[in-house]
Amino acid sequence: MVDQIENEGMKSLIENITAIQVESPVDKIIGQLKQLIVSGQLKPGDRLPAERVLSERFGVGRSYIREAILKLEFYGLLRTNPQSGTYVAGLSINVIDNIISDIIKFNKDDFNALIEARYHLELNAVKLAAERRTDEDLESIKSAMEDYEKKASTGGDAVEEDMVFHIKVAKATKNSVIESMILILVPDLIKNIVQNKICGDNRAKTAIEEHRKIYAAIESQDMAKAEEAMASHLDEIWQISKAGFAAQNIINEAEV
Amino acid sequence: MVDQIENEGMKSLIENITAIQVESPVDKIIGQLKQLIVSGQLKPGDRLPAERVLSERFGVGRSYIREAILKLEFYGLLRTNPQSGTYVAGLSINVIDNIISDIIKFNKDDFNALIEARYHLELNAVKLAAERRTDEDLESIKSAMEDYEKKASTGGDAVEEDMVFHIKVAKATKNSVIESMILILVPDLIKNIVQNKICGDNRAKTAIEEHRKIYAAIESQDMAKAEEAMASHLDEIWQISKAGFAAQNIINEAEV
DNA sequence: TGATTATTTTTGGTAAACCAATTAATTGGT
DNA sequence: ACCAATTAATTGGTTTACCAAAAATAATCA
């Protein structure tokens, strides 16, 4: 156990230490690959040197090379053909450069950015959901809503039930990309929301009302009303979040 | 080389073959982990069995286990502490279940979903960009715009220069999450756009005008005008895309 | 008996080895 | 000189072995 005294100083020290070695091997590799491309040694469409070669050239194990390639593949910058090789996407160097630069620093721990992105995404999502929802979607959303109400009325924080409600709405958009994006944000949202104690008894009561409004709008397929209801729902969370975050932004214990 | 004759039949045959073995090892592992959690053998907050144990239990190499964990970590569902273990996020089983189900089938190759998501994202982005752009942003956007005009006026397809323009706008939002999301979509967008030949000489000319309108709106920080300009810009692409896609959706050669 | 230090075990991090498939090269025949 | 078939080398896919750090356990001393 760490001493309770002087844990402030200890914290900043720890942060410095982790900050120094924060450059993970894979990010370094990605950076070097970027350099290869930007410098012209590797042109779009070219085949990458074999993993073994890269491994040796960068002085690192092949596992890291594979991990880096995997990450870049997710972003569509590389394409790997089994038993043949890995190829650079046919994008211009400018595009590749821009994207790689930001892959390295892609982290969702910017609280405001997270909430803001969620806000815009969900506003669009609820409109699409209202437009396209099937009866099955409606059933699913309703069920999630009732779960939330049950949990919230017993006093517990129903953050996760709330999120399930929103996930079900996202599913009703019939747009897998938008749905996936919301899905990516959800765990971080939950973490931040519970961390900043957005949830109180009075809040839960009003949220129930808001959910019902959203549901009703989706049911009647009223896109405008759905957007309005979602906006007021999220606005409130946003405001509380900002206040709570300002008060508690020191406490960032690294637990799951 | 494959025979030119009967390549239609050959194609469908190949598609069947790949469709059968499409269940990648990591997706299978993710599915099994999900099962462990849903069945209650693994509760939120618990520590996962050691990688070696999972490796043995699932009858697969440790690399795949690590790959699967990496993927779930990206979605915030697992947290791995070096030399200690990997832990399940403290989310409710319901949330985890919902998210994992969709991770497996997360693919950006749904053409309409891609364009639609981009449409909504960029509309929000351009508003934020107009609100928050710095002079440096403006300079950067302008430079990208001029690159596009240069390329487009020489007759070549300037899809990528176009994308750089949009990336620069995204950067000006000062929202790293929204920016990252757009970045993730860009390579797939380019692929689809060039595949469906959205770009023509007349199109390039009108696009130049649209870009200038967008730029002017961002410069004068007029959010409404920016949104309007972006909407008309994207609307046109969307329409052409849909038409082009309907005509060419058979030709899906798997090249980078 | 209780705290503290050694020691052993277990962990994820890392590198290397093995495999089947593909590609390039070489060889042999025409 | 050219083409076919066979062999050799190279590829990513997959598994295994090794490492230092952490945790858990055992042993030691006050």
Side-chain angles (χ1 to χ4, degrees):
Chain A
M1 260 318 149
V2 72
D3 290 346
Q4 295 294 347
I5 247 170
E6 275 200 356
N7 57 355
E8 303 265 304
M10 180 65 90
K11 180 147 188 51
S12 73
L13 182 70
I14 290 174
E15 280 176 342
N16 272 336
I17 292 173
T18 54
I20 289 171
Q21 61 152 18
V22 84
E23 205 173 32
S24 82
V26 306
D27 282 342
K28 261 196 280 189
I29 294 168
I30 291 177
Q32 295 200 258
L33 286 175
K34 171 188 161 188
Q35 209 50 38
L36 279 180
I37 295 172
V38 172
S39 71
Q41 297 182 53
L42 209 58
K43 294 184 208 311
D46 280 359
R47 200 186 66 188
L48 250 69
E51 294 180 354
R52 285 169 186 75
V53 177
L54 290 174
S55 163
E56 190 186 1
R57 170 118 64 117
F58 293 162
V60 76
R62 224 182 112 203
S63 315
Y64 287 132
I65 303 291
R66 302 202 96 237
E67 204 172 310
I69 289 176
L70 214 70
K71 206 166 174 183
L72 291 176
E73 235 177 336
F74 178 79
Y75 282 84
L77 261 36
L78 294 180
R79 170 101 189 205
T80 179
N81 292 20
Q83 271 69 42
S84 163
T86 300
Y87 298 82
V88 181
L91 309 174
S92 78
I93 293 175
N94 202 343
V95 172
I96 295 176
D97 185 14
N98 267 289
I99 295 181
I100 290 186
S101 295
D102 292 13
I103 287 178
I104 297 176
K105 62 181 173 66
F106 177 26
N107 51 358
K108 289 164 290 183
D109 54 15
D110 181 343
F111 178 72
N112 283 308
L114 197 65
I115 300 284
E116 187 175 76
R118 186 249 178 126
Y119 179 85
H120 292 296
L121 266 177
E122 291 234 45
L123 239 50
N124 293 127
V126 78
K127 276 191 288 186
L128 294 176
E131 186 185 19
R132 302 170 185 173
R133 102 288 188 285
T134 64
D135 290 346
E136 290 76 32
D137 292 323
L138 216 53
E139 198 65 35
S140 165
I141 294 171
K142 188 178 184 183
S143 167
M145 185 174 68
E146 289 168 349
D147 285 347
Y148 173 81
E149 296 185 359
K150 210 173 298 175
K151 183 72 176 289
S153 59
T154 65
D157 73 329
V159 181
E160 315 203 352
E161 286 75 10
D162 183 28
M163 283 297 160
V164 173
F165 174 79
H166 288 270
I167 290 175
K168 296 302 184 187
V169 172
K171 270 191 206 300
T173 63
K174 302 290 179 297
N175 183 309
S176 63
V177 177
I178 292 178
E179 186 192 338
S180 294
M181 288 181 166
I182 291 178
L183 246 26
I184 289 178
L185 301 188
V186 162
D188 290 273
L189 283 171
I190 292 177
K191 196 173 72 181
N192 277 299
I193 289 177
V194 302
Q195 211 168 69
N196 297 296
K197 303 189 177 31
I198 315 297
C199 35
D201 279 1
N202 49 345
R203 169 72 200 132
K205 288 283 156 55
T206 59
I208 288 179
E209 277 309 309
E210 289 162 5
H211 279 185
R212 285 184 181 167
K213 275 183 194 163
I214 294 171
Y215 174 78
I218 293 176
E219 183 180 27
S220 60
Q221 303 199 263
D222 187 331
M223 293 173 69
K225 204 169 278 182
E227 183 180 21
E228 184 193 330
M230 180 65 83
S232 79
H233 180 50
L234 295 180
D235 266 334
E236 200 164 334
I237 294 178
W238 198 343
Q239 294 306 324
I240 303 175
S241 298
K242 272 198 273 196
F245 182 66
Q248 296 223 2
N249 59 357
I250 299 101
I251 304 168
N252 274 332
E253 201 49 58
E255 54 193 342
V256 181
Chain B
M1 259 323 150
V2 72
D3 289 346
Q4 295 295 346
I5 247 170
E6 276 199 355
N7 56 356
E8 304 266 305
M10 180 65 89
K11 181 148 189 49
S12 72
L13 181 70
I14 290 174
E15 281 176 342
N16 272 336
I17 291 173
T18 53
I20 289 171
Q21 61 151 18
V22 85
E23 204 173 31
S24 82
V26 305
D27 281 343
K28 261 196 279 190
I29 294 169
I30 290 177
Q32 295 200 259
L33 285 176
K34 171 187 160 188
Q35 209 50 39
L36 279 181
I37 294 172
V38 171
S39 71
Q41 297 180 55
L42 210 57
K43 293 185 209 313
D46 280 0
R47 199 185 66 189
L48 250 68
E51 293 180 354
R52 284 169 187 77
V53 176
L54 289 174
S55 163
E56 190 186 0
R57 171 119 64 118
F58 293 161
V60 77
R62 223 182 112 201
S63 312
Y64 287 132
I65 304 290
R66 303 200 97 238
E67 204 171 311
I69 289 176
L70 215 69
K71 207 167 173 182
L72 291 177
E73 233 177 336
F74 179 78
Y75 282 85
L77 261 36
L78 295 180
R79 169 101 190 204
T80 180
N81 293 20
Q83 270 69 41
S84 162
T86 300
Y87 298 82
V88 181
L91 310 173
S92 79
I93 293 174
N94 202 344
V95 172
I96 295 176
D97 185 15
N98 267 290
I99 295 181
I100 289 186
S101 295
D102 293 12
I103 288 179
I104 296 174
K105 61 180 173 66
F106 177 27
N107 53 355
K108 288 165 289 185
D109 56 15
D110 180 343
F111 178 72
N112 283 308
L114 197 63
I115 300 284
E116 187 175 77
R118 185 247 178 131
Y119 178 85
H120 292 297
L121 266 177
E122 291 235 43
L123 240 50
N124 293 128
V126 79
K127 274 192 289 185
L128 294 176
E131 187 185 19
R132 302 171 183 171
R133 102 286 189 286
T134 63
D135 290 346
E136 289 77 33
D137 292 324
L138 215 54
E139 197 64 35
S140 165
I141 295 171
K142 188 178 185 182
S143 167
M145 184 174 68
E146 288 168 349
D147 284 349
Y148 174 82
E149 296 184 1
K150 210 174 296 174
K151 184 74 177 293
S153 58
T154 64
D157 73 331
V159 181
E160 314 202 354
E161 286 75 10
D162 183 29
M163 283 298 160
V164 173
F165 174 78
H166 288 271
I167 289 175
K168 297 300 185 188
V169 171
K171 270 190 207 297
T173 63
K174 303 290 180 297
N175 184 311
S176 64
V177 176
I178 293 178
E179 185 193 340
S180 293
M181 288 180 166
I182 291 179
L183 246 27
I184 289 179
L185 300 187
V186 161
D188 290 272
L189 284 170
I190 292 177
K191 197 173 72 180
N192 277 300
I193 289 177
V194 303
Q195 212 168 66
N196 296 296
K197 302 189 177 34
I198 314 297
C199 34
D201 280 0
N202 49 347
R203 169 72 199 133
K205 287 283 154 53
T206 60
I208 287 178
E209 277 309 310
E210 289 162 6
H211 279 185
R212 285 183 179 167
K213 273 184 196 163
I214 294 171
Y215 174 79
I218 293 177
E219 183 181 28
S220 61
Q221 303 199 262
D222 187 330
M223 292 173 69
K225 205 169 276 180
E227 182 181 21
E228 185 194 331
M230 180 64 84
S232 80
H233 179 51
L234 295 179
D235 265 333
E236 200 165 334
I237 294 177
W238 197 346
Q239 293 307 322
I240 303 175
S241 298
K242 271 197 276 196
F245 182 69
Q248 296 222 4
N249 60 356
I250 298 100
I251 305 168
N252 275 330
E253 201 50 58
E255 55 193 342
V256 182

